[in-house]
Amino acid sequence: TGRLPEELQDLSNLERLAVNGNELTGGLHNVLKLTQLQQLYAGFNSFDDELDNDSLGMLTNLRVLDLQDNKLEGPVPDALWTLSQLQMADFRRNALDGVLHEIKDKHQPVLEYLDVSENFLGGGIPSSLNKVTTLKYLDVSNNRFDRPLPEDLGGLTDMEVLLLTDGLYEAKPIPSWLKNMTQLKRLSLKLTGRTGTIPDWFVPSLK
């Protein structure tokens, strides 16, 4: 219980921190200064920091980020896209708002797993997410998105789980770029306003 001690930021060589599944409160600001950190497991607590777009920016060696089931507010940090070694990021079931911004051309994320479900995010999925060709798992369900899907996410050919439910509403057919996701095992388009018929290519694309 309680807060993380300020002295934690003095552990400058720390590479893995696991405090998940406790009743910790307060902020993560001291953890976000640990520049050698590779794995951060802080899910299932009651951290109530307000993140900003620069949060995470110092964690340049981070590979795994688990912040699920907390009370974090603010945006999904833009700095997420700058972390060149980050493979897994889980923000689900927090109180994040704002929008997912476009990925700048100079950045090439290697994310394989991204979960921002069950937050209060607005806007929509950035079209530049198509450049994260390593992505295998994407869950953006149960947010407050108010823009339709990007015209093309077909570059995500390694995708295995794609959950796009709620908010991404538009009266259009099932997008044809899905046919490129030949590794797809789970797909949700629930409550996204799809129209028309199920295309012939659709069933063979799901394993």
Side-chain angles (χ1 to χ4, degrees):
T1 62
R3 296 171 175 261
L4 293 175
E6 291 294 329
E7 293 79 9
L8 190 63
Q9 66 188 12
D10 296 330
L11 303 178
S12 57
N13 293 313
L14 196 65
E15 295 181 355
R16 186 180 190 273
L17 176 62
V19 294
N20 46 318
N22 287 288
E23 298 177 13
L24 296 168
T25 59
L28 290 163
H29 58 277
N30 46 359
V31 176
L32 302 182
K33 298 177 182 178
L34 298 172
T35 58
Q36 299 303 310
L37 203 61
Q38 296 180 21
Q39 301 176 42
L40 173 58
Y41 299 94
F44 300 99
N45 282 288
S46 295
F47 292 117
D48 56 4
D49 255 353
E50 181 163 353
L51 302 179
D52 60 40
N53 281 315
D54 294 323
S55 298
L56 309 179
M58 297 179 66
L59 303 181
T60 54
N61 292 294
L62 199 63
R63 298 177 183 273
V64 176
L65 175 65
D66 179 5
L67 298 177
Q68 65 179 299
D69 277 277
N70 279 287
K71 299 177 181 178
L72 299 173
E73 300 180 351
V76 174
D78 288 352
L80 180 74
W81 309 127
T82 72
L83 303 179
S84 60
Q85 300 186 61
L86 187 64
Q87 298 172 352
M88 179 267 196
D90 194 339
F91 294 95
R92 76 175 178 267
R93 286 196 289 271
N94 276 283
L96 300 176
D97 54 19
V99 301
L100 292 170
H101 289 138
E102 296 289 344
I103 305 169
K104 295 181 179 178
D105 289 342
K106 64 181 179 179
H107 298 137
Q108 187 60 55
V110 294
L111 269 174
E112 296 181 7
Y113 183 109
L114 177 61
D115 192 337
V116 295
S117 63
E118 298 185 54
N119 282 283
F120 303 106
L121 298 172
I125 299 174
S127 59
S128 53
L129 193 67
N130 201 41
K131 68 186 288 185
V132 189
T133 56
T134 49
L135 206 55
K136 296 180 179 179
Y137 184 108
L138 177 64
D139 188 352
V140 298
S141 60
N142 297 303
N143 277 285
R144 294 179 177 175
F145 294 124
D146 54 12
R147 292 208 305 263
L149 285 172
E151 289 298 320
D152 187 11
L153 290 177
L156 305 179
T157 56
D158 287 343
M159 189 70 72
E160 297 179 4
V161 176
L162 181 61
L163 307 176
L164 300 174
T165 62
D166 310 310
L168 295 162
Y169 186 92
E170 56 179 341
K172 286 187 176 182
I174 292 173
S176 61
W177 46 256
L178 280 170
K179 70 173 68 174
N180 296 331
M181 297 183 179
T182 56
Q183 303 303 312
L184 208 56
K185 298 175 181 177
R186 290 176 57 197
L187 171 67
S188 179
L189 296 169
K190 183 179 69 174
L191 299 175
T192 59
R194 299 297 116 183
T195 61
T197 60
I198 296 177
D200 293 340
W201 53 261
F202 185 77
V203 176
S205 70
L206 291 176
K207 293 186 176 182

